[in-house]
Amino acid sequence: MIKLLLVDDSELITGGLAVLLGVEADLTVVECVDRGEEAVRICQQQTIDVVLLDVRMPGMSGVEATKHITETTDTKVIILTTFDEDEYIVEGIKNGAVGYLLKNTEPQQLIQAIRSVMKGQSILSQDVLEKAKQGFQPVKKTADLTSLTPREVEITRLVAAGLSNKQIAVQLYLTEGTVNNSLSTILHKLELDHRTQVAIYYLTGKAGDHDAAF
């Protein structure tokens, strides 16, 4: 059973999500709250597997709450955003979010995203990835992939294209386990933490650090 915490200052959002997710046999909504501080406290005091977290809330923002949650607990954070919040994308990923989805994501895609992050994957919707690309000023350099093998470069390209590990395996005629192992090697070589950072690095030449310009 995957234990969920829903965090949004709109009861309409949390209530709708609670109903949507509550019907899934492997998902259970532990609590709904409307403050980042409360989300941090609950994650630190209870076993929460995944938190779905809004960005803009009174008090502590979702981006700041993400940092506290990921640094002090094993809870995985999926940030739910709207199009006008793209300035938070890179900072959310930097702070440890393993998922970044739009609030209008199709229900089944959201449910699949929750299950995927529990398997160690990171989720970045294509629309959000496009926003991240637009948020950077043009860069003169491209990503330095010289430390990667040709196969690793191709896997990196497909990650940036938004493909899952399973889809990459099918396209490259590899096992999913081989792709998983290759991605771990890629992360180590590029000194990155998440596949979402790999995608942004490949597309922009920047790793999504504090020096990234919006």
Side-chain angles (χ1 to χ4, degrees):
M1 185 66 71
I2 301 174
K3 297 181 179 180
L4 305 172
L5 174 66
L6 309 182
V7 189
D8 198 298
D9 60 349
S10 169
E11 292 186 8
L12 183 63
I13 297 293
T14 54
L17 286 174
V19 172
L20 170 69
L21 301 174
V23 300
E24 298 296 315
D26 60 334
L27 306 179
T28 181
V29 177
V30 175
E31 199 165 345
C32 300
V33 298
D34 61 1
R35 294 289 188 276
E37 297 92 336
E38 188 72 359
V40 174
R41 182 188 65 79
I42 291 174
C43 290
Q44 290 175 342
Q45 294 180 355
Q46 301 185 43
T47 299
I48 301 295
D49 297 309
V50 178
V51 54
L52 302 182
L53 186 62
D54 186 23
V55 171
R56 293 181 181 174
M57 295 176 289
M60 182 183 294
S61 72
V63 170
E64 186 179 355
T66 295
K67 181 176 178 64
H68 290 295
I69 291 171
T70 58
E71 287 183 348
T72 62
T73 76
D74 293 326
T75 301
K76 302 180 185 300
V77 176
I78 296 177
I79 291 180
L80 295 180
T81 182
T82 57
F83 271 117
D84 62 348
E85 295 168 344
D86 51 289
E87 68 268 25
Y88 297 107
I89 293 175
V90 173
E91 216 38 43
I93 294 170
K94 178 70 175 179
N95 284 353
V98 295
Y100 217 112
L101 302 173
L102 295 177
K103 287 185 177 179
N104 63 357
T105 297
E106 291 294 326
Q108 286 305 313
Q109 291 180 329
L110 176 58
I111 292 168
Q112 186 57 48
I114 293 170
R115 293 170 178 155
S116 294
V117 299
M118 287 300 295
K119 296 178 181 178
Q121 297 184 23
S122 297
I123 305 297
L124 188 68
S125 73
Q126 191 61 39
D127 288 334
V128 170
L129 183 56
E130 288 299 321
K131 278 292 188 179
K133 290 162 59 179
Q134 295 169 16
F136 287 101
Q137 293 179 351
V139 293
K140 296 181 180 179
K141 68 173 185 176
T142 57
D144 182 5
L145 305 179
T146 55
S147 64
L148 305 184
T149 66
R151 173 180 287 178
E152 289 167 351
V153 171
E154 183 63 9
I155 290 174
T156 300
R157 183 185 70 80
L158 294 175
V159 168
L163 274 66
S164 68
N165 287 6
K166 184 175 182 179
Q167 291 170 323
I168 294 172
V170 171
Q171 184 155 331
L172 298 183
Y173 302 99
L174 302 171
T175 66
E176 191 171 352
T178 297
V179 175
N180 292 339
N181 291 337
S182 295
L183 184 56
S184 295
T185 301
I186 291 167
L187 289 169
H188 176 73
K189 287 183 176 181
L190 299 181
E191 298 183 348
L192 301 174
D193 297 318
H194 307 294
R195 68 185 292 124
T196 46
Q197 290 178 322
V198 171
I200 290 175
Y201 181 61
Y202 179 85
L203 293 166
T204 69
K206 288 183 177 289
D209 56 22
H210 289 290
D211 294 327
F214 292 100

